[in-house]
Amino acid sequence: MSFEEARLRLRGSMAPVVTPFNEDESLDLETFKSLIDWQIENGSHGISVTGTSGEPSSLTVEERLTVMETAKKAVAGRVPFVPGTGSVNHNEALKLTKAAQEMGADGALVIVPYYNRPNQQALYNHFKTIADSVDIPIILYNIPGRTAVNLEVQTIARLAEDCPNIIGIKESNKDFEHVNRVLLRAGRHFNLYSGIELLCYPMLAIGGAGHISATSNVAPKQVAEIYNAWTAGDVQRAQDMHFEMMELNDVLFKDTNPAPAKAALGMMGKIKPVLRKPMALPSEELQKEIRQVLKNYGISLKDEINA
């Protein structure tokens, strides 16, 4: 598949699936496979793992490889599979991205290194080295609120020009002017994905390729419907879904992702609501609010199913 063909295939609502744990914080791979099946059955157009929602910084490299391999087998070619392979450690990112290619992933999502705050030339060098090491599509991942550094428009444009396999970017950036300029400078063929829930619809309106939204962990059908309605030309439906999802989006980000999403999935009976330290579940007060919002959306809860 050419990179141009990949641009067309890697579109829509790509679910960034959480990593389920057992009570002892070990990987719960059987539940993980069930989550992936549920996502695909409910219309997600692609699957991503070990991104922010997957708690990658709490996993060892070996565990990340296990999660990636398990997901690849579970997806079984039904939809595109794009694992997160970025790391604060350059060599780890190289290893994980090469592993994604070896296991037959459809691409790799590579986050801006976090904590160490590299300058723009350093970021260019980091991403170009990774892109040059593989021949699968690379999607950059810019999330300045978590990494403490913004991948600037000029750097994105340089990478898009110099690396044919860098086909797009996930922008978890609330600066809507910035994301407009990404498409202007990198080219309107560049795949722009929203990682900000309230910008999923607006980014489609300027030519975005879709979204990688943490909310799809809880409501995959509804999040996919925003993209489906837009591409079908039903602008009113897409707008309606945008506003309809706002209450759920808001409550799922009242604490650090993926804590609210995991709490919600626990209430839904999809996973054991466990995060690895230093992460923890939201406060009891927020969990009550999450539960009420899930009820407002008509989402079935575990205790109600068993009643």
Side-chain angles (χ1 to χ4, degrees), residues 27-292:
L27 296 174
D28 185 352
L29 297 178
E30 291 305 312
T31 295
F32 184 52
K33 289 185 280 188
S34 296
L35 275 183
I36 289 171
D37 287 341
W38 181 68
Q39 283 289 333
I40 296 172
E41 290 162 4
N42 279 274
S44 290
H45 305 107
I47 296 294
S48 184
V49 300
T50 59
T52 304
S53 298
E55 298 174 74
S57 61
S58 297
L59 303 174
T60 65
V61 172
E62 290 71 25
E63 285 176 322
R64 289 184 67 173
L65 291 170
T66 296
V67 169
M68 289 163 57
E69 289 164 355
T70 302
K72 177 63 171 63
K73 291 177 182 177
V75 171
R78 291 176 287 174
V79 296
F81 170 59
V82 182
T85 60
S87 171
V88 69
N89 182 300
H90 176 76
N91 288 331
E92 284 183 5
L94 272 173
K95 178 177 180 177
L96 290 163
T97 306
K98 290 177 180 178
Q101 174 172 282
E102 290 167 4
M103 69 179 62
D106 297 285
L109 179 69
V110 187
I111 194 170
V112 169
Y114 35 91
Y115 179 73
N116 48 21
R117 301 182 67 186
N119 63 36
Q120 294 300 305
Q121 183 60 47
L123 288 171
Y124 174 88
N125 296 340
H126 171 74
F127 285 116
K128 188 174 189 306
T129 301
I130 292 171
D132 288 348
S133 75
V134 295
D135 58 9
I136 58 172
I138 299 293
I139 299 171
L140 307 173
Y141 180 10
N142 189 27
I143 180 168
R146 301 284 284 247
T147 63
V149 63
N150 186 47
L151 189 60
E152 300 293 347
V153 172
Q154 182 178 359
T155 308
I156 298 166
R158 285 181 66 199
L159 287 164
E161 181 177 355
D162 295 347
C163 306
N165 59 331
I166 294 182
I167 66 161
I169 186 167
K170 175 184 177 182
E171 279 285 0
S172 293
N173 191 327
K174 294 183 179 181
D175 184 347
F176 197 56
E177 180 177 341
H178 167 93
V179 298
N180 277 267
R181 295 191 184 283
V182 167
L183 285 184
L184 178 68
R185 292 291 306 279
R188 292 177 54 190
H189 64 289
F190 199 62
N191 280 24
L192 174 67
Y193 306 88
S194 178
I196 298 291
E197 278 58 33
L198 295 191
L199 293 183
C200 288
Y201 169 71
M203 283 201 200
L204 291 173
I206 64 169
H211 32 263
I212 306 174
S213 165
T215 300
S216 61
N217 275 292
V218 176
K221 186 176 295 185
Q222 295 93 322
V223 175
E225 177 61 18
I226 296 172
Y227 179 83
N228 293 338
W230 175 258
T231 54
D234 192 344
V235 176
Q236 187 64 57
R237 174 63 176 161
Q239 290 177 345
D240 289 346
M241 289 300 300
H242 168 72
F243 287 102
E244 183 179 310
M245 296 303 294
M246 283 181 68
E247 183 184 20
L248 182 59
N249 288 330
D250 286 348
V251 79
L252 290 180
F253 285 87
K254 286 192 173 184
D255 196 351
T256 305
N257 179 51
K262 278 198 156 182
L265 286 167
M267 295 171 195
M268 295 162 63
K270 298 293 184 184
I271 67 170
K272 303 176 189 74
V274 178
L275 294 97
R276 278 190 175 170
K277 299 176 184 66
M279 297 291 287
L281 287 171
S283 67
E284 289 187 14
E285 181 179 1
L286 180 52
Q287 289 193 53
K288 288 178 182 178
E289 185 177 351
I290 292 168
R291 176 177 290 275
Q292 184 56 56

